[in-house]
Amino acid sequence: MRRPGGWWRRKSSAEKVETYTRWSFHFLGVSEIAGIGLASYGRTGPQLATVLFLMVAAHAVVGMATASQAVDWLAGRRPQPVRRLWLLGAVTAALAVLAVGLAEHGPGGDGAGAAAVGVFVGIQGFGLGTLALGVPRRRAATLICGFSAGAGVVAFAAGMPWLAGVLLAGVVLLLGGFFASTAMLSVWLLSVVYALHEAKETEARLAVAEERLRFGRDLHDVMGRNLAVIALKSELAVQLARRGRSEAVEQMIEVQRIAQESQREVRDVVRGYREAALEVELAGARGVLSAAGIVAEVTGETEGLPAEVQSALGWVVREATTNVLRHGDAKKVAVTVLMSEGRVVLTVENDGVAQGPDPSAGADVPAGTGGSGLAGLRERLSAVDGTLEAGAAGKGLFRLTAEVPLPAAGPGAGAAASASASAPRGVAS
């Protein structure tokens, strides 16, 4: 069964900010209905209040639909919703004219004019805030000034005193400017978050590219000179063989020796590229997690572990750290290394679990597993007779545990391991 709130945890930070921004603009529509439409019932008669409420509700629905398309445009998922923006502008202007007409020529009564004027000002303020989402900043300023000037002209044409028209124009200017500034600030924040998200992905790709370049450079350094020597000596051997010289055999023996030496050097390069030292991986995990804003607690003892055990556990730390950053939304990660009873136990626990019905299948993967990455880790651990367990460890927690038996090192090995377990030394904190 999928955990409640899993859809939110599966989102990246940028997607969460976008969802928050989108629903904030939808909430503005609800606030418009509640703050202006429903408030009319307490200020005038039920008939006029119902008319004003329906006007505000219609405007809010068009505004929410426009805001949704404008956010999609800002996220680069669709072209600019020009028609919807024109529709919202036309609806805002038409309803504003109707509201000021009701204020001056509608049914009388206590508060009728004030309720209609409130709708006149409110729908323009909310409308300008939504329109500012879908237009550039310079056009947004022109739009606000144009609506405020139009509000004064319409109020004067409807029969209001010029001073009241000027006052309404100023109120529309201030209210529209406030909502538009708030909307543009939210858009700016969303763009910054997406820029940071893209920068993080670019940094990861550059790190991979840099590692590939380093590996290619190492292979070039190892193989370039040796291949040149092999080519030269092979050509020399061919010439000597054609002349019937016995030195050709010696040259081919030298070629064979250089080829074998090249194989050994390539294996050394690949081994150094593939092996992961546990101490280095623990320090690297702390640095990477801290840079991502995640609290990292790394404790335990690594001294005295065989190289093959360190390499296998180092890969567990590397894979778990990578998947915490890639799949989860963890705030805290704890890595512990303990040695006891002739075995070493590595535990990686995080609070960013986002699991689906079957974590092992690779869909909706819990943070720290990587789905198919589990199979690779189990293969590496099986080479040293180790085991791997991964699963939920409480509400919102996920734990990955790797156990590797230690080779016997004499009668004092067990006592030494127990002493190490009873007094773990921090590798990083």
Side-chain angles (χ1 to χ4, degrees), residues 85 101 200 206 285 322 329 355 362 373 398 417:
L85 292 171
K200 184 178 179 181
L206 288 175
T322 300
D329 188 25
Q355 70 181 37
F398 187 86

Side-chain angles (χ1 to χ4, degrees), residues 260-393:
Q260 293 174 347
E261 181 69 16
S262 298
Q263 288 180 331
R264 184 187 62 79
E265 291 180 352
V266 170
R267 283 195 295 268
D268 290 340
V269 171
V270 174
R271 185 182 301 111
Y273 180 75
R274 289 182 175 178
E275 287 183 353
L278 180 56
E279 183 101 13
V280 175
E281 293 300 328
L282 290 173
R286 182 194 61 174
V288 171
L289 293 172
S290 299
I294 301 174
V295 178
E297 295 182 356
V298 185
T299 58
E301 174 68 43
T302 61
E303 290 184 358
L305 292 177
E308 62 274 12
V309 174
Q310 289 212 32
S311 178
L313 294 180
W315 271 103
V316 174
V317 174
R318 181 184 297 183
E319 182 75 13
T321 303
T322 300
N323 286 284
V324 165
L325 297 174
R326 181 181 301 168
H327 301 295
D329 188 25
K331 300 297 184 295
K332 181 179 179 181
V333 176
V335 183
T336 305
V337 182
L338 291 177
M339 286 187 289
S340 63
E341 299 179 357
R343 62 176 182 169
V344 57
V345 181
L346 170 67
T347 303
V348 182
E349 185 176 285
N350 71 85
D351 59 357
V353 65
Q355 70 181 37
D358 186 8
S360 62
D364 301 327
V365 183
T369 67
S372 60
L374 284 174
L377 292 180
R378 288 194 172 99
E379 289 179 3
R380 293 181 182 275
L381 290 171
S382 65
V384 289
D385 298 327
T387 60
L388 181 71
E389 295 182 1

Side-chain angles (χ1 to χ4, degrees), residues 44-93:
T44 185
Q47 293 183 349
L48 180 59
T50 300
V51 172
L52 295 176
F53 173 79
L54 293 177
M55 291 168 56
V56 173
H59 182 266
V61 170
V62 176
M64 286 188 285
T66 304
S68 181
Q69 293 188 4
V71 173
D72 289 338
W73 170 62
L74 293 168
R77 300 190 185 97
R78 59 167 300 143
Q80 184 181 18
V82 178
R83 293 183 179 179
R84 185 58 61 86
L85 292 171
W86 275 108
L87 176 61
L88 177 61
V91 170
T92 301

